[in-house]
Amino acid sequence: MTQARDTVLGRIRDALALAPTPAAVVPRDYRTGRTLPDAERLALFTDRLLDYRARVHPCTADRTAEGVGDLLREYGVRRIGVPAGLDARWLARYDGEVRQDDAAVPPSRLDDLDAVVTASAAACAETGTIFLDGSPGQGRRALSLVPDLHLCVVDLSTVEVGVPEAVARLAPERPTTLISGPSATSDIELERVEGVHGPRTLVVVIRTDA
């Protein structure tokens, strides 16, 4: 059986080598360059996030620490995980335990955290999607997926109208995580179930002047 399989696969490889497939041309004529005033972009982004059942807290940049601290206390968070490059000033009003993440920490240990706080790379108002790219303020993918609550800080200046505009902000060589609301799926009876593949609760702090 093994010899027959090797013979068949070998003939397929030979045939492919004799008739190489021409490189496919991928059309890149996306609709790009769309813009909206800040107030309209914020309203659209907020509407989409709320539709996904995310919690939205707009604030000015100088009130970031106050907003983050108040929200974490409201949810009774006692222990948070943060990426190594997160702006420490954002946690100035939080008095719980802060654990800085490290790649050596196994994902199972992340389940000990009540929440994670990260920054973001970009966002799309039209789809309510937040993009993380693994940079120092966002950390590795496991950190944003394992804890039950994710508090994500988004600067309004990084929120684009559409997906092509948002993707253009990303470095293609970096790992990208797309977040559209809390993790959710449906069971066999089409009942919504949250927290199966990621955080059950998504809280988005939008810094309106940053």
mmCIF file of all heavy atoms in Angstrom, residues 51-98:
data_model
loop_
_atom_site.group_PDB
_atom_site.id
_atom_site.type_symbol
_atom_site.label_atom_id
_atom_site.label_comp_id
_atom_site.label_asym_id
_atom_site.label_seq_id
_atom_site.Cartn_x
_atom_site.Cartn_y
_atom_site.Cartn_z
ATOM 1 N N ASP A 51 -23.334 46.630 19.733
ATOM 2 C CA ASP A 51 -24.100 45.577 19.078
ATOM 3 C C ASP A 51 -23.485 44.204 19.347
ATOM 4 O O ASP A 51 -24.194 43.198 19.384
ATOM 5 C CB ASP A 51 -24.165 45.853 17.574
ATOM 6 C CG ASP A 51 -25.175 44.964 16.862
ATOM 7 O OD1 ASP A 51 -26.323 44.891 17.325
ATOM 8 O OD2 ASP A 51 -24.804 44.335 15.858
ATOM 9 N N TYR A 52 -22.165 44.180 19.535
ATOM 10 C CA TYR A 52 -21.469 42.932 19.869
ATOM 11 C C TYR A 52 -21.529 42.625 21.361
ATOM 12 O O TYR A 52 -20.932 41.657 21.820
ATOM 13 C CB TYR A 52 -20.000 43.021 19.459
ATOM 14 C CG TYR A 52 -19.740 42.920 17.980
ATOM 15 C CD1 TYR A 52 -18.846 43.784 17.357
ATOM 16 C CD2 TYR A 52 -20.355 41.947 17.209
ATOM 17 C CE1 TYR A 52 -18.580 43.691 15.999
ATOM 18 C CE2 TYR A 52 -20.099 41.847 15.854
ATOM 19 C CZ TYR A 52 -19.210 42.724 15.255
ATOM 20 O OH TYR A 52 -18.947 42.631 13.908
ATOM 21 N N ARG A 53 -22.189 43.489 22.135
ATOM 22 C CA ARG A 53 -22.308 43.346 23.590
ATOM 23 C C ARG A 53 -21.011 43.635 24.323
ATOM 24 O O ARG A 53 -20.717 43.068 25.381
ATOM 25 C CB ARG A 53 -22.815 41.952 23.976
ATOM 26 C CG ARG A 53 -24.160 41.607 23.359
ATOM 27 C CD ARG A 53 -24.694 40.309 23.923
ATOM 28 N NE ARG A 53 -25.905 39.885 23.229
ATOM 29 C CZ ARG A 53 -26.605 38.807 23.547
ATOM 30 N NH1 ARG A 53 -26.223 38.042 24.556
ATOM 31 N NH2 ARG A 53 -27.683 38.481 22.866
ATOM 32 N N ALA A 54 -20.206 44.513 23.746
ATOM 33 C CA ALA A 54 -19.019 44.989 24.441
ATOM 34 C C ALA A 54 -19.405 46.193 25.297
ATOM 35 O O ALA A 54 -20.422 46.850 25.059
ATOM 36 C CB ALA A 54 -17.929 45.379 23.443
ATOM 37 N N ARG A 55 -18.608 46.486 26.296
ATOM 38 C CA ARG A 55 -18.796 47.671 27.135
ATOM 39 C C ARG A 55 -17.889 48.770 26.585
ATOM 40 O O ARG A 55 -16.712 48.533 26.306
ATOM 41 C CB ARG A 55 -18.414 47.341 28.582
ATOM 42 C CG ARG A 55 -18.363 48.521 29.542
ATOM 43 C CD ARG A 55 -19.722 48.834 30.094
ATOM 44 N NE ARG A 55 -19.635 49.923 31.066
ATOM 45 C CZ ARG A 55 -19.419 49.755 32.367
ATOM 46 N NH1 ARG A 55 -19.242 48.523 32.862
ATOM 47 N NH2 ARG A 55 -19.390 50.788 33.179
ATOM 48 N N VAL A 56 -18.406 49.972 26.422
ATOM 49 C CA VAL A 56 -17.636 51.066 25.829
ATOM 50 C C VAL A 56 -17.541 52.221 26.815
ATOM 51 O O VAL A 56 -18.552 52.647 27.385
ATOM 52 C CB VAL A 56 -18.277 51.548 24.507
ATOM 53 C CG1 VAL A 56 -17.442 52.666 23.899
ATOM 54 C CG2 VAL A 56 -18.420 50.393 23.526
ATOM 55 N N HIS A 57 -16.314 52.718 27.010
ATOM 56 C CA HIS A 57 -16.089 53.836 27.921
ATOM 57 C C HIS A 57 -15.218 54.878 27.219
ATOM 58 O O HIS A 57 -13.996 54.732 27.170
ATOM 59 C CB HIS A 57 -15.410 53.359 29.202
ATOM 60 C CG HIS A 57 -15.119 54.466 30.174
ATOM 61 N ND1 HIS A 57 -16.060 54.967 31.046
ATOM 62 C CD2 HIS A 57 -13.982 55.181 30.398
ATOM 63 C CE1 HIS A 57 -15.535 55.918 31.778
ATOM 64 N NE2 HIS A 57 -14.264 56.076 31.398
ATOM 65 N N PRO A 58 -15.816 55.943 26.647
ATOM 66 C CA PRO A 58 -15.011 56.992 26.047
ATOM 67 C C PRO A 58 -14.455 57.927 27.125
ATOM 68 O O PRO A 58 -15.114 58.190 28.137
ATOM 69 C CB PRO A 58 -16.002 57.727 25.136
ATOM 70 C CG PRO A 58 -17.341 57.466 25.747
ATOM 71 C CD PRO A 58 -17.261 56.146 26.454
ATOM 72 N N CYS A 59 -13.240 58.399 26.917
ATOM 73 C CA CYS A 59 -12.648 59.351 27.855
ATOM 74 C C CYS A 59 -11.519 60.086 27.153
ATOM 75 O O CYS A 59 -11.058 59.669 26.083
ATOM 76 C CB CYS A 59 -12.129 58.638 29.106
ATOM 77 S SG CYS A 59 -10.695 57.564 28.812
ATOM 78 N N THR A 60 -11.059 61.170 27.746
ATOM 79 C CA THR A 60 -9.895 61.868 27.223
ATOM 80 C C THR A 60 -8.637 61.160 27.713
ATOM 81 O O THR A 60 -8.667 60.391 28.682
ATOM 82 C CB THR A 60 -9.880 63.323 27.682
ATOM 83 O OG1 THR A 60 -9.992 63.367 29.116
ATOM 84 C CG2 THR A 60 -11.047 64.095 27.073
ATOM 85 N N ALA A 61 -7.516 61.409 27.036
ATOM 86 C CA ALA A 61 -6.284 60.697 27.357
ATOM 87 C C ALA A 61 -5.849 60.916 28.801
ATOM 88 O O ALA A 61 -5.329 60.003 29.450
ATOM 89 C CB ALA A 61 -5.171 61.126 26.400
ATOM 90 N N ASP A 62 -6.081 62.126 29.334
ATOM 91 C CA ASP A 62 -5.648 62.386 30.701
ATOM 92 C C ASP A 62 -6.531 61.721 31.752
ATOM 93 O O ASP A 62 -6.217 61.749 32.943
ATOM 94 C CB ASP A 62 -5.573 63.897 30.957
ATOM 95 C CG ASP A 62 -6.926 64.582 30.815
ATOM 96 O OD1 ASP A 62 -7.843 64.000 30.203
ATOM 97 O OD2 ASP A 62 -7.071 65.710 31.328
ATOM 98 N N ARG A 63 -7.627 61.096 31.320
ATOM 99 C CA ARG A 63 -8.509 60.382 32.249
ATOM 100 C C ARG A 63 -8.408 58.861 32.059
ATOM 101 O O ARG A 63 -9.250 58.121 32.576
ATOM 102 C CB ARG A 63 -9.966 60.811 32.023
ATOM 103 C CG ARG A 63 -10.218 62.308 32.158
ATOM 104 C CD ARG A 63 -10.086 62.777 33.586
ATOM 105 N NE ARG A 63 -11.115 62.249 34.447
ATOM 106 C CZ ARG A 63 -12.319 62.817 34.597
ATOM 107 N NH1 ARG A 63 -12.638 63.919 33.933
ATOM 108 N NH2 ARG A 63 -13.191 62.285 35.427
ATOM 109 N N THR A 64 -7.380 58.416 31.326
ATOM 110 C CA THR A 64 -7.244 56.986 31.054
ATOM 111 C C THR A 64 -7.126 56.182 32.342
ATOM 112 O O THR A 64 -7.826 55.178 32.539
ATOM 113 C CB THR A 64 -6.019 56.706 30.168
ATOM 114 O OG1 THR A 64 -6.100 57.491 28.975
ATOM 115 C CG2 THR A 64 -5.949 55.223 29.789
ATOM 116 N N ALA A 65 -6.227 56.589 33.225
ATOM 117 C CA ALA A 65 -6.004 55.847 34.469
ATOM 118 C C ALA A 65 -7.273 55.791 35.315
ATOM 119 O O ALA A 65 -7.604 54.754 35.900
ATOM 120 C CB ALA A 65 -4.863 56.479 35.265
ATOM 121 N N GLU A 66 -7.993 56.901 35.357
ATOM 122 C CA GLU A 66 -9.236 56.935 36.125
ATOM 123 C C GLU A 66 -10.257 55.975 35.540
ATOM 124 O O GLU A 66 -10.913 55.212 36.271
ATOM 125 C CB GLU A 66 -9.799 58.354 36.142
ATOM 126 C CG GLU A 66 -11.077 58.504 36.933
ATOM 127 C CD GLU A 66 -11.596 59.928 36.928
ATOM 128 O OE1 GLU A 66 -10.836 60.838 36.549
ATOM 129 O OE2 GLU A 66 -12.773 60.119 37.290
ATOM 130 N N GLY A 67 -10.403 55.989 34.220
ATOM 131 C CA GLY A 67 -11.365 55.098 33.581
ATOM 132 C C GLY A 67 -10.999 53.637 33.762
ATOM 133 O O GLY A 67 -11.856 52.812 34.094
ATOM 134 N N VAL A 68 -9.718 53.299 33.559
ATOM 135 C CA VAL A 68 -9.276 51.912 33.707
ATOM 136 C C VAL A 68 -9.475 51.442 35.143
ATOM 137 O O VAL A 68 -10.010 50.358 35.402
ATOM 138 C CB VAL A 68 -7.799 51.769 33.288
ATOM 139 C CG1 VAL A 68 -7.252 50.389 33.676
ATOM 140 C CG2 VAL A 68 -7.645 51.989 31.788
ATOM 141 N N GLY A 69 -9.067 52.270 36.103
ATOM 142 C CA GLY A 69 -9.195 51.892 37.507
ATOM 143 C C GLY A 69 -10.639 51.705 37.932
ATOM 144 O O GLY A 69 -10.979 50.724 38.615
ATOM 145 N N ASP A 70 -11.508 52.632 37.523
ATOM 146 C CA ASP A 70 -12.929 52.537 37.904
ATOM 147 C C ASP A 70 -13.581 51.295 37.313
ATOM 148 O O ASP A 70 -14.363 50.605 37.984
ATOM 149 C CB ASP A 70 -13.679 53.788 37.439
ATOM 150 C CG ASP A 70 -13.319 55.029 38.250
ATOM 151 O OD1 ASP A 70 -12.676 54.877 39.308
ATOM 152 O OD2 ASP A 70 -13.679 56.138 37.813
ATOM 153 N N LEU A 71 -13.277 51.003 36.060
ATOM 154 C CA LEU A 71 -13.888 49.850 35.399
ATOM 155 C C LEU A 71 -13.423 48.531 36.028
ATOM 156 O O LEU A 71 -14.224 47.622 36.248
ATOM 157 C CB LEU A 71 -13.560 49.873 33.909
ATOM 158 C CG LEU A 71 -14.279 50.953 33.098
ATOM 159 C CD1 LEU A 71 -13.593 51.156 31.751
ATOM 160 C CD2 LEU A 71 -15.750 50.605 32.909
ATOM 161 N N LEU A 72 -12.134 48.429 36.334
ATOM 162 C CA LEU A 72 -11.624 47.205 36.950
ATOM 163 C C LEU A 72 -12.227 46.999 38.337
ATOM 164 O O LEU A 72 -12.574 45.871 38.720
ATOM 165 C CB LEU A 72 -10.102 47.245 37.030
ATOM 166 C CG LEU A 72 -9.361 47.172 35.685
ATOM 167 C CD1 LEU A 72 -7.863 47.344 35.886
ATOM 168 C CD2 LEU A 72 -9.654 45.861 34.957
ATOM 169 N N ARG A 73 -12.400 48.075 39.092
ATOM 170 C CA ARG A 73 -13.033 47.955 40.412
ATOM 171 C C ARG A 73 -14.495 47.556 40.273
ATOM 172 O O ARG A 73 -15.018 46.756 41.058
ATOM 173 C CB ARG A 73 -12.912 49.272 41.179
ATOM 174 C CG ARG A 73 -11.578 49.464 41.866
ATOM 175 C CD ARG A 73 -11.612 50.633 42.819
ATOM 176 N NE ARG A 73 -11.859 51.890 42.124
ATOM 177 C CZ ARG A 73 -10.913 52.622 41.576
ATOM 178 N NH1 ARG A 73 -9.640 52.237 41.631
ATOM 179 N NH2 ARG A 73 -11.198 53.753 40.964
ATOM 180 N N GLU A 74 -15.175 48.118 39.273
ATOM 181 C CA GLU A 74 -16.588 47.797 39.059
ATOM 182 C C GLU A 74 -16.785 46.307 38.804
ATOM 183 O O GLU A 74 -17.779 45.721 39.255
ATOM 184 C CB GLU A 74 -17.128 48.608 37.887
ATOM 185 C CG GLU A 74 -18.592 48.365 37.586
ATOM 186 C CD GLU A 74 -19.079 49.179 36.399
ATOM 187 O OE1 GLU A 74 -18.464 50.227 36.087
ATOM 188 O OE2 GLU A 74 -20.066 48.760 35.765
ATOM 189 N N TYR A 75 -15.857 45.698 38.088
ATOM 190 C CA TYR A 75 -15.957 44.264 37.796
ATOM 191 C C TYR A 75 -15.337 43.401 38.891
ATOM 192 O O TYR A 75 -15.291 42.179 38.760
ATOM 193 C CB TYR A 75 -15.296 43.957 36.451
ATOM 194 C CG TYR A 75 -16.151 44.334 35.264
ATOM 195 C CD1 TYR A 75 -15.992 45.557 34.625
ATOM 196 C CD2 TYR A 75 -17.141 43.479 34.785
ATOM 197 C CE1 TYR A 75 -16.771 45.916 33.537
ATOM 198 C CE2 TYR A 75 -17.920 43.819 33.700
ATOM 199 C CZ TYR A 75 -17.740 45.044 33.079
ATOM 200 O OH TYR A 75 -18.518 45.405 32.003
ATOM 201 N N GLY A 76 -14.866 44.015 39.953
ATOM 202 C CA GLY A 76 -14.295 43.248 41.060
ATOM 203 C C GLY A 76 -12.997 42.553 40.722
ATOM 204 O O GLY A 76 -12.691 41.495 41.281
ATOM 205 N N VAL A 77 -12.208 43.143 39.834
ATOM 206 C CA VAL A 77 -10.959 42.533 39.392
ATOM 207 C C VAL A 77 -9.880 42.708 40.461
ATOM 208 O O VAL A 77 -9.564 43.826 40.856
ATOM 209 C CB VAL A 77 -10.498 43.156 38.063
ATOM 210 C CG1 VAL A 77 -9.113 42.651 37.690
ATOM 211 C CG2 VAL A 77 -11.498 42.837 36.957
ATOM 212 N N ARG A 78 -9.313 41.616 40.898
ATOM 213 C CA ARG A 78 -8.274 41.653 41.921
ATOM 214 C C ARG A 78 -6.875 41.399 41.352
ATOM 215 O O ARG A 78 -5.880 41.767 41.959
ATOM 216 C CB ARG A 78 -8.565 40.607 43.000
ATOM 217 C CG ARG A 78 -9.861 40.845 43.772
ATOM 218 C CD ARG A 78 -10.179 39.648 44.637
ATOM 219 N NE ARG A 78 -10.356 38.442 43.816
ATOM 220 C CZ ARG A 78 -10.514 37.217 44.326
ATOM 221 N NH1 ARG A 78 -10.489 37.030 45.627
ATOM 222 N NH2 ARG A 78 -10.671 36.183 43.515
ATOM 223 N N ARG A 79 -6.798 40.745 40.199
ATOM 224 C CA ARG A 79 -5.500 40.357 39.646
ATOM 225 C C ARG A 79 -5.539 40.502 38.132
ATOM 226 O O ARG A 79 -6.389 39.893 37.473
ATOM 227 C CB ARG A 79 -5.189 38.911 40.024
ATOM 228 C CG ARG A 79 -3.821 38.404 39.624
ATOM 229 C CD ARG A 79 -3.653 36.926 39.965
ATOM 230 N NE ARG A 79 -3.909 36.655 41.376
ATOM 231 C CZ ARG A 79 -4.975 35.989 41.814
ATOM 232 N NH1 ARG A 79 -5.890 35.527 40.964
ATOM 233 N NH2 ARG A 79 -5.137 35.769 43.103
ATOM 234 N N ILE A 80 -4.657 41.319 37.589
ATOM 235 C CA ILE A 80 -4.646 41.521 36.137
ATOM 236 C C ILE A 80 -3.297 41.109 35.554
ATOM 237 O O ILE A 80 -2.268 41.120 36.231
ATOM 238 C CB ILE A 80 -4.936 42.983 35.746
ATOM 239 C CG1 ILE A 80 -3.839 43.920 36.257
ATOM 240 C CG2 ILE A 80 -6.298 43.416 36.233
ATOM 241 C CD1 ILE A 80 -3.943 45.344 35.727
ATOM 242 N N GLY A 81 -3.339 40.760 34.281
ATOM 243 C CA GLY A 81 -2.128 40.519 33.520
ATOM 244 C C GLY A 81 -1.939 41.648 32.527
ATOM 245 O O GLY A 81 -2.922 42.173 31.979
ATOM 246 N N VAL A 82 -0.706 42.055 32.307
ATOM 247 C CA VAL A 82 -0.420 43.133 31.363
ATOM 248 C C VAL A 82 0.784 42.758 30.516
ATOM 249 O O VAL A 82 1.692 42.057 30.978
ATOM 250 C CB VAL A 82 -0.141 44.472 32.085
ATOM 251 C CG1 VAL A 82 -1.351 44.908 32.901
ATOM 252 C CG2 VAL A 82 1.087 44.379 32.974
ATOM 253 N N PRO A 83 0.828 43.197 29.261
ATOM 254 C CA PRO A 83 2.026 42.985 28.450
ATOM 255 C C PRO A 83 3.166 43.841 28.981
ATOM 256 O O PRO A 83 2.938 44.858 29.647
ATOM 257 C CB PRO A 83 1.590 43.423 27.052
ATOM 258 C CG PRO A 83 0.411 44.314 27.267
ATOM 259 C CD PRO A 83 -0.260 43.854 28.514
ATOM 260 N N ALA A 84 4.380 43.446 28.672
ATOM 261 C CA ALA A 84 5.558 44.119 29.227
ATOM 262 C C ALA A 84 5.632 45.596 28.862
ATOM 263 O O ALA A 84 6.137 46.412 29.632
ATOM 264 C CB ALA A 84 6.824 43.392 28.767
ATOM 265 N N GLY A 85 5.108 45.960 27.683
ATOM 266 C CA GLY A 85 5.245 47.342 27.237
ATOM 267 C C GLY A 85 4.038 48.222 27.478
ATOM 268 O O GLY A 85 3.952 49.330 26.935
ATOM 269 N N LEU A 86 3.081 47.769 28.298
ATOM 270 C CA LEU A 86 1.901 48.593 28.554
ATOM 271 C C LEU A 86 2.298 49.853 29.311
ATOM 272 O O LEU A 86 3.139 49.821 30.213
ATOM 273 C CB LEU A 86 0.877 47.807 29.372
ATOM 274 C CG LEU A 86 -0.489 48.491 29.529
ATOM 275 C CD1 LEU A 86 -1.290 48.372 28.238
ATOM 276 C CD2 LEU A 86 -1.269 47.893 30.696
ATOM 277 N N ASP A 87 1.679 50.976 28.972
ATOM 278 C CA ASP A 87 1.941 52.249 29.647
ATOM 279 C C ASP A 87 1.529 52.127 31.120
ATOM 280 O O ASP A 87 0.348 51.997 31.430
ATOM 281 C CB ASP A 87 1.144 53.361 28.959
ATOM 282 C CG ASP A 87 1.558 54.750 29.421
ATOM 283 O OD1 ASP A 87 2.062 54.873 30.553
ATOM 284 O OD2 ASP A 87 1.362 55.708 28.651
ATOM 285 N N ALA A 88 2.491 52.163 32.025
ATOM 286 C CA ALA A 88 2.223 51.975 33.451
ATOM 287 C C ALA A 88 1.322 53.068 34.013
ATOM 288 O O ALA A 88 0.629 52.851 35.020
ATOM 289 C CB ALA A 88 3.538 51.937 34.223
ATOM 290 N N ARG A 89 1.292 54.225 33.379
ATOM 291 C CA ARG A 89 0.443 55.325 33.882
ATOM 292 C C ARG A 89 -1.037 54.969 33.806
ATOM 293 O O ARG A 89 -1.845 55.514 34.563
ATOM 294 C CB ARG A 89 0.726 56.602 33.079
ATOM 295 C CG ARG A 89 2.132 57.145 33.269
ATOM 296 C CD ARG A 89 2.409 58.295 32.324
ATOM 297 N NE ARG A 89 2.376 57.837 30.928
ATOM 298 C CZ ARG A 89 2.586 58.649 29.891
ATOM 299 N NH1 ARG A 89 2.819 59.934 30.084
ATOM 300 N NH2 ARG A 89 2.558 58.172 28.659
ATOM 301 N N TRP A 90 -1.410 54.065 32.903
ATOM 302 C CA TRP A 90 -2.815 53.681 32.785
ATOM 303 C C TRP A 90 -3.306 52.917 34.012
ATOM 304 O O TRP A 90 -4.515 52.826 34.244
ATOM 305 C CB TRP A 90 -3.016 52.797 31.543
ATOM 306 C CG TRP A 90 -2.741 53.483 30.251
ATOM 307 C CD1 TRP A 90 -2.413 54.797 30.060
ATOM 308 C CD2 TRP A 90 -2.756 52.892 28.946
ATOM 309 N NE1 TRP A 90 -2.216 55.064 28.728
ATOM 310 C CE2 TRP A 90 -2.424 53.916 28.023
ATOM 311 C CE3 TRP A 90 -3.004 51.611 28.478
ATOM 312 C CZ2 TRP A 90 -2.349 53.679 26.648
ATOM 313 C CZ3 TRP A 90 -2.933 51.374 27.115
ATOM 314 C CH2 TRP A 90 -2.612 52.395 26.206
ATOM 315 N N LEU A 91 -2.390 52.376 34.790
ATOM 316 C CA LEU A 91 -2.761 51.567 35.950
ATOM 317 C C LEU A 91 -2.582 52.312 37.272
ATOM 318 O O LEU A 91 -2.664 51.714 38.346
ATOM 319 C CB LEU A 91 -1.925 50.284 35.976
ATOM 320 C CG LEU A 91 -1.963 49.425 34.703
ATOM 321 C CD1 LEU A 91 -1.020 48.248 34.840
ATOM 322 C CD2 LEU A 91 -3.381 48.963 34.408
ATOM 323 N N ALA A 92 -2.357 53.613 37.201
ATOM 324 C CA ALA A 92 -2.073 54.388 38.405
ATOM 325 C C ALA A 92 -3.225 54.389 39.404
ATOM 326 O O ALA A 92 -3.012 54.558 40.607
ATOM 327 C CB ALA A 92 -1.714 55.827 38.019
ATOM 328 N N ARG A 93 -4.452 54.197 38.929
ATOM 329 C CA ARG A 93 -5.620 54.211 39.818
ATOM 330 C C ARG A 93 -6.116 52.802 40.148
ATOM 331 O O ARG A 93 -7.187 52.659 40.743
ATOM 332 C CB ARG A 93 -6.745 55.026 39.167
ATOM 333 C CG ARG A 93 -6.396 56.490 38.900
ATOM 334 C CD ARG A 93 -6.367 57.291 40.175
ATOM 335 N NE ARG A 93 -7.689 57.423 40.738
ATOM 336 C CZ ARG A 93 -8.549 58.386 40.418
ATOM 337 N NH1 ARG A 93 -8.204 59.315 39.539
ATOM 338 N NH2 ARG A 93 -9.734 58.455 40.983
ATOM 339 N N TYR A 94 -5.350 51.805 39.765
ATOM 340 C CA TYR A 94 -5.730 50.421 40.074
ATOM 341 C C TYR A 94 -4.880 49.932 41.237
ATOM 342 O O TYR A 94 -3.647 50.008 41.192
ATOM 343 C CB TYR A 94 -5.515 49.528 38.853
ATOM 344 C CG TYR A 94 -5.750 48.057 39.116
ATOM 345 C CD1 TYR A 94 -7.017 47.583 39.452
ATOM 346 C CD2 TYR A 94 -4.700 47.135 39.061
ATOM 347 C CE1 TYR A 94 -7.232 46.235 39.705
ATOM 348 C CE2 TYR A 94 -4.908 45.786 39.309
ATOM 349 C CZ TYR A 94 -6.175 45.345 39.632
ATOM 350 O OH TYR A 94 -6.387 44.012 39.892
ATOM 351 N N ASP A 95 -5.523 49.409 42.287
ATOM 352 C CA ASP A 95 -4.788 49.011 43.482
ATOM 353 C C ASP A 95 -4.723 47.496 43.676
ATOM 354 O O ASP A 95 -4.344 47.007 44.745
ATOM 355 C CB ASP A 95 -5.399 49.653 44.731
ATOM 356 C CG ASP A 95 -6.895 49.384 44.859
ATOM 357 O OD1 ASP A 95 -7.420 48.580 44.055
ATOM 358 O OD2 ASP A 95 -7.533 49.978 45.740
ATOM 359 N N GLY A 96 -5.060 46.730 42.647
ATOM 360 C CA GLY A 96 -4.973 45.273 42.743
ATOM 361 C C GLY A 96 -3.605 44.768 42.324
ATOM 362 O O GLY A 96 -2.663 45.534 42.098
ATOM 363 N N GLU A 97 -3.500 43.458 42.189
ATOM 364 C CA GLU A 97 -2.230 42.828 41.807
ATOM 365 C C GLU A 97 -2.034 42.922 40.292
ATOM 366 O O GLU A 97 -2.955 42.667 39.522
ATOM 367 C CB GLU A 97 -2.231 41.358 42.239
ATOM 368 C CG GLU A 97 -0.957 40.619 41.879
ATOM 369 C CD GLU A 97 -1.006 39.145 42.238
ATOM 370 O OE1 GLU A 97 -1.971 38.735 42.937
ATOM 371 O OE2 GLU A 97 -0.103 38.397 41.798
ATOM 372 N N VAL A 98 -0.835 43.301 39.895
ATOM 373 C CA VAL A 98 -0.491 43.415 38.476
ATOM 374 C C VAL A 98 0.618 42.419 38.164
ATOM 375 O O VAL A 98 1.686 42.448 38.785
ATOM 376 C CB VAL A 98 -0.027 44.833 38.115
ATOM 377 C CG1 VAL A 98 0.368 44.905 36.634
ATOM 378 C CG2 VAL A 98 -1.112 45.851 38.428
#
